[in-house]
Amino acid sequence: MSGLKGMLARNQVVKLTVNHAYVYLLHLLHTVLDLLPWFLRGLVWRMFMPRAGRHLFFDHKVYIKFPWLLEAGDRVSINRGVSFYPDFFGGHRIILGSDVRVAPGVRFHAASHDTGDTEYRHTGGTITVGNQVWIGAGAIILPGVTIGDGSVVGAGSVVNRDVPPGVVVAGVPARVVRERMLAAGDGSAAAENPAADPS
């Protein structure tokens, strides 16, 4: 780690001061964006993002700490109160595929801290969400997780490991509760497969 990131990582006081100033400016940006209509709000976020697909919708009260570390495909819907925390120091991103639906209050945490270190050294991992994924309200997605195409994350779940394609996961921590029957060809969900439900 070199340059600004290295200096911030070495000096906790400077790191906190810079972070407080950045968060304050970011708060001002979010305040202004929440006053704008959806199409202008989306346009501003797209200016910061390295990849932003067509028909990308940001509801009110969406929080993105480092927008240049967020990517999204086509027809992505991000509902009210969703929070994105990419990993600034490690450069780990949050990547959403196409046709992704993110319900209200979902939190993505690509950054974390080493619980085995007395100084809680910074850690993290890129979060990758595949195509045709629905993430239920209040779910938490933790660092390094990949969610496979066509999967569903149940409301309130904590996802701390990879999710295979075409399944429904739920719980704390999230576990596979059933498989989904996907339409041939496009990976979209045609119907649930009740025969695969273990309950």
Short mmCIF file of all heavy atoms in Angstrom, two decimals, residues 132-161:
data_model
loop_
_atom_site.label_atom_id
_atom_site.label_comp_id
_atom_site.label_asym_id
_atom_site.label_seq_id
_atom_site.Cartn_x
_atom_site.Cartn_y
_atom_site.Cartn_z
N GLN A 132 -29.96 -11.57 -12.68
CA GLN A 132 -31.28 -12.08 -12.29
C GLN A 132 -31.35 -12.42 -10.80
O GLN A 132 -32.02 -13.37 -10.40
CB GLN A 132 -31.64 -13.32 -13.12
CG GLN A 132 -31.72 -13.10 -14.60
CD GLN A 132 -33.04 -12.51 -15.04
OE1 GLN A 132 -34.00 -12.50 -14.30
NE2 GLN A 132 -33.08 -12.02 -16.27
N VAL A 133 -30.66 -11.66 -9.97
CA VAL A 133 -30.64 -11.91 -8.53
C VAL A 133 -31.61 -10.95 -7.83
O VAL A 133 -31.71 -9.78 -8.18
CB VAL A 133 -29.21 -11.74 -7.96
CG1 VAL A 133 -29.22 -11.75 -6.44
CG2 VAL A 133 -28.30 -12.82 -8.50
N TRP A 134 -32.31 -11.47 -6.83
CA TRP A 134 -33.17 -10.64 -5.98
C TRP A 134 -32.65 -10.76 -4.55
O TRP A 134 -32.52 -11.86 -4.02
CB TRP A 134 -34.63 -11.12 -6.07
CG TRP A 134 -35.57 -10.43 -5.12
CD1 TRP A 134 -35.43 -9.19 -4.55
CD2 TRP A 134 -36.81 -10.96 -4.63
NE1 TRP A 134 -36.51 -8.91 -3.74
CE2 TRP A 134 -37.37 -9.99 -3.77
CE3 TRP A 134 -37.49 -12.15 -4.83
CZ2 TRP A 134 -38.58 -10.17 -3.12
CZ3 TRP A 134 -38.69 -12.33 -4.18
CH2 TRP A 134 -39.24 -11.34 -3.34
N ILE A 135 -32.34 -9.63 -3.94
CA ILE A 135 -31.86 -9.60 -2.56
C ILE A 135 -32.94 -8.97 -1.70
O ILE A 135 -33.31 -7.81 -1.89
CB ILE A 135 -30.53 -8.82 -2.45
CG1 ILE A 135 -29.48 -9.46 -3.37
CG2 ILE A 135 -30.04 -8.80 -1.00
CD1 ILE A 135 -28.16 -8.73 -3.41
N GLY A 136 -33.47 -9.74 -0.75
CA GLY A 136 -34.60 -9.33 0.06
C GLY A 136 -34.26 -8.26 1.08
O GLY A 136 -33.10 -8.03 1.43
N ALA A 137 -35.30 -7.60 1.58
CA ALA A 137 -35.17 -6.45 2.47
C ALA A 137 -34.31 -6.75 3.69
O ALA A 137 -34.46 -7.80 4.33
CB ALA A 137 -36.56 -5.98 2.91
N GLY A 138 -33.42 -5.83 4.01
CA GLY A 138 -32.63 -5.93 5.23
C GLY A 138 -31.52 -6.95 5.21
O GLY A 138 -30.87 -7.16 6.25
N ALA A 139 -31.25 -7.58 4.08
CA ALA A 139 -30.16 -8.55 4.02
C ALA A 139 -28.81 -7.85 4.13
O ALA A 139 -28.68 -6.68 3.77
CB ALA A 139 -30.23 -9.36 2.73
N ILE A 140 -27.81 -8.57 4.62
CA ILE A 140 -26.45 -8.06 4.74
C ILE A 140 -25.53 -8.99 3.95
O ILE A 140 -25.52 -10.20 4.17
CB ILE A 140 -26.00 -8.00 6.21
CG1 ILE A 140 -26.91 -7.06 7.01
CG2 ILE A 140 -24.54 -7.55 6.31
CD1 ILE A 140 -26.65 -7.08 8.50
N ILE A 141 -24.76 -8.40 3.03
CA ILE A 141 -23.84 -9.17 2.20
C ILE A 141 -22.43 -8.80 2.64
O ILE A 141 -22.04 -7.64 2.61
CB ILE A 141 -24.02 -8.84 0.70
CG1 ILE A 141 -25.51 -8.81 0.31
CG2 ILE A 141 -23.24 -9.84 -0.15
CD1 ILE A 141 -26.26 -10.09 0.54
N LEU A 142 -21.64 -9.80 3.06
CA LEU A 142 -20.33 -9.57 3.66
C LEU A 142 -19.20 -9.71 2.65
O LEU A 142 -19.41 -10.17 1.52
CB LEU A 142 -20.15 -10.52 4.84
CG LEU A 142 -21.13 -10.28 6.00
CD1 LEU A 142 -20.89 -11.28 7.13
CD2 LEU A 142 -21.03 -8.86 6.52
N PRO A 143 -17.97 -9.28 3.03
CA PRO A 143 -16.85 -9.23 2.08
C PRO A 143 -16.57 -10.55 1.38
O PRO A 143 -16.64 -11.62 1.98
CB PRO A 143 -15.67 -8.81 2.96
CG PRO A 143 -16.26 -8.11 4.12
CD PRO A 143 -17.57 -8.80 4.37
N GLY A 144 -16.20 -10.44 0.10
CA GLY A 144 -15.74 -11.58 -0.67
C GLY A 144 -16.82 -12.52 -1.17
O GLY A 144 -16.51 -13.52 -1.81
N VAL A 145 -18.08 -12.20 -0.94
CA VAL A 145 -19.18 -13.09 -1.32
C VAL A 145 -19.51 -12.96 -2.80
O VAL A 145 -19.54 -11.85 -3.36
CB VAL A 145 -20.44 -12.79 -0.47
CG1 VAL A 145 -21.69 -13.41 -1.08
CG2 VAL A 145 -20.24 -13.27 0.96
N THR A 146 -19.78 -14.08 -3.45
CA THR A 146 -20.32 -14.11 -4.81
C THR A 146 -21.70 -14.75 -4.76
O THR A 146 -21.86 -15.84 -4.19
CB THR A 146 -19.41 -14.92 -5.75
OG1 THR A 146 -18.14 -14.25 -5.87
CG2 THR A 146 -20.03 -15.06 -7.14
N ILE A 147 -22.68 -14.07 -5.34
CA ILE A 147 -24.05 -14.60 -5.42
C ILE A 147 -24.31 -15.00 -6.86
O ILE A 147 -24.24 -14.17 -7.76
CB ILE A 147 -25.08 -13.56 -4.94
CG1 ILE A 147 -24.78 -13.16 -3.48
CG2 ILE A 147 -26.49 -14.10 -5.07
CD1 ILE A 147 -25.67 -12.05 -2.95
N GLY A 148 -24.60 -16.28 -7.08
CA GLY A 148 -24.75 -16.81 -8.43
C GLY A 148 -25.99 -16.33 -9.14
O GLY A 148 -26.96 -15.88 -8.53
N ASP A 149 -25.98 -16.44 -10.46
CA ASP A 149 -27.09 -16.03 -11.31
C ASP A 149 -28.40 -16.67 -10.87
O ASP A 149 -28.45 -17.86 -10.53
CB ASP A 149 -26.84 -16.42 -12.77
CG ASP A 149 -25.69 -15.66 -13.42
OD1 ASP A 149 -25.21 -14.68 -12.81
OD2 ASP A 149 -25.29 -16.05 -14.53
N GLY A 150 -29.47 -15.88 -10.89
CA GLY A 150 -30.81 -16.41 -10.66
C GLY A 150 -31.12 -16.77 -9.22
O GLY A 150 -32.15 -17.40 -8.96
N SER A 151 -30.29 -16.37 -8.29
CA SER A 151 -30.55 -16.73 -6.90
C SER A 151 -31.33 -15.65 -6.16
O SER A 151 -31.40 -14.51 -6.60
CB SER A 151 -29.23 -17.00 -6.15
OG SER A 151 -28.72 -18.26 -6.54
N VAL A 152 -31.92 -16.04 -5.04
CA VAL A 152 -32.71 -15.15 -4.20
C VAL A 152 -32.14 -15.20 -2.79
O VAL A 152 -31.89 -16.28 -2.25
CB VAL A 152 -34.20 -15.56 -4.17
CG1 VAL A 152 -34.98 -14.71 -3.17
CG2 VAL A 152 -34.81 -15.46 -5.55
N VAL A 153 -31.94 -14.02 -2.19
CA VAL A 153 -31.50 -13.93 -0.81
C VAL A 153 -32.69 -13.47 0.02
O VAL A 153 -33.27 -12.42 -0.22
CB VAL A 153 -30.33 -12.93 -0.66
CG1 VAL A 153 -29.95 -12.76 0.82
CG2 VAL A 153 -29.12 -13.40 -1.47
N GLY A 154 -33.08 -14.28 1.00
CA GLY A 154 -34.25 -13.98 1.83
C GLY A 154 -34.05 -12.73 2.69
O GLY A 154 -32.93 -12.37 3.06
N ALA A 155 -35.16 -12.08 3.00
CA ALA A 155 -35.14 -10.87 3.82
C ALA A 155 -34.45 -11.14 5.16
O ALA A 155 -34.67 -12.17 5.79
CB ALA A 155 -36.56 -10.37 4.05
N GLY A 156 -33.60 -10.21 5.58
CA GLY A 156 -32.95 -10.30 6.87
C GLY A 156 -31.79 -11.28 6.95
O GLY A 156 -31.22 -11.47 8.02
N SER A 157 -31.42 -11.87 5.83
CA SER A 157 -30.33 -12.85 5.84
C SER A 157 -28.97 -12.18 5.97
O SER A 157 -28.79 -11.03 5.56
CB SER A 157 -30.35 -13.68 4.55
OG SER A 157 -31.56 -14.39 4.42
N VAL A 158 -28.01 -12.91 6.52
CA VAL A 158 -26.61 -12.47 6.55
C VAL A 158 -25.82 -13.45 5.68
O VAL A 158 -25.68 -14.62 6.02
CB VAL A 158 -26.05 -12.44 7.98
CG1 VAL A 158 -24.57 -12.08 7.96
CG2 VAL A 158 -26.83 -11.45 8.85
N VAL A 159 -25.32 -12.95 4.55
CA VAL A 159 -24.64 -13.81 3.58
C VAL A 159 -23.14 -13.68 3.80
O VAL A 159 -22.55 -12.64 3.49
CB VAL A 159 -25.02 -13.44 2.14
CG1 VAL A 159 -24.38 -14.42 1.16
CG2 VAL A 159 -26.53 -13.43 1.97
N ASN A 160 -22.52 -14.73 4.34
CA ASN A 160 -21.10 -14.69 4.65
C ASN A 160 -20.29 -15.70 3.83
O ASN A 160 -19.10 -15.88 4.07
CB ASN A 160 -20.86 -14.92 6.14
CG ASN A 160 -21.30 -16.30 6.59
OD1 ASN A 160 -21.92 -17.05 5.83
ND2 ASN A 160 -20.98 -16.65 7.84
N ARG A 161 -20.96 -16.35 2.87
CA ARG A 161 -20.26 -17.29 1.99
C ARG A 161 -20.93 -17.26 0.62
O ARG A 161 -22.05 -16.77 0.48
CB ARG A 161 -20.26 -18.70 2.56
CG ARG A 161 -21.65 -19.31 2.68
CD ARG A 161 -21.61 -20.66 3.34
NE ARG A 161 -21.18 -20.54 4.73
CZ ARG A 161 -20.92 -21.55 5.53
NH1 ARG A 161 -21.05 -22.78 5.09
NH2 ARG A 161 -20.55 -21.36 6.78
#
